[in-house]
Amino acid sequence: MKTYDPLVFLAVFHEMLGPLLWVLPLLALATVVGFVWVWRRDGRIVSRRMVQSELLGLLGGAVALVIMAAVSSSGFTDAAGPADWFLILIVYGVGFVATTLLAYTVMGWLSRPARRPA
């Protein structure tokens, strides 16, 4: 590959993910907007809610790895070099962060606004 063409990456991701290619970015955007809204409403990050969200994020990272294995033609036993393991760590990290933000946002919507310190 001598030239960089972003449309090639789009085509590959579309082949791998199908309709999820469009659903996941929209869900990510909605999650970030919701997180910022909850954060601004509360005026701070609520630590108890964040810790609970991080615990759910551990599961979300694992689910991201399962999805990665399902949509790709290779499994975890095919990971041979450092680049493969680095990609696996990136996928886990993205799943962790995304699930943490989504869980914090949902918990924030379902709870009363936190009291602001005086």
Side-chain angles (χ1 to χ4, degrees):
M1 196 163 129
K2 294 184 179 186
T3 60
Y4 174 76
D5 187 7
L7 293 178
V8 171
F9 289 107
L10 180 64
V12 169
F13 286 133
H14 185 54
E15 181 70 27
M16 289 173 64
L17 295 172
L20 277 179
L21 176 65
W22 307 111
V23 172
L24 290 176
L26 290 175
L27 181 61
L29 181 64
T31 298
V32 169
V33 168
F35 176 78
V36 170
W37 180 78
V38 169
W39 182 20
R40 296 279 298 164
R41 182 194 69 186
D42 292 344
R44 63 188 174 97
I45 299 291
V46 179
S47 61
R48 180 182 200 84
R49 191 183 308 153
M50 182 56 83
V51 169
Q52 292 170 344
S53 300
E54 288 170 344
L55 290 173
L56 287 173
L58 293 172
L59 288 172
V63 169
L65 290 176
V66 169
I67 292 171
M68 180 196 73
V71 301
S72 68
S73 61
S74 61
F76 298 111
T77 57
D78 297 329
D84 295 332
W85 290 106
F86 186 65
L87 181 63
I88 288 171
L89 288 174
I90 288 174
V91 169
Y92 182 85
V94 168
F96 173 82
V97 170
T99 305
T100 300
L101 289 178
L102 181 62
Y104 186 91
T105 301
V106 170
M107 284 186 225
W109 280 342
L110 297 176
S111 69
R112 295 181 322 180
R115 286 183 276 160
R116 292 187 181 181

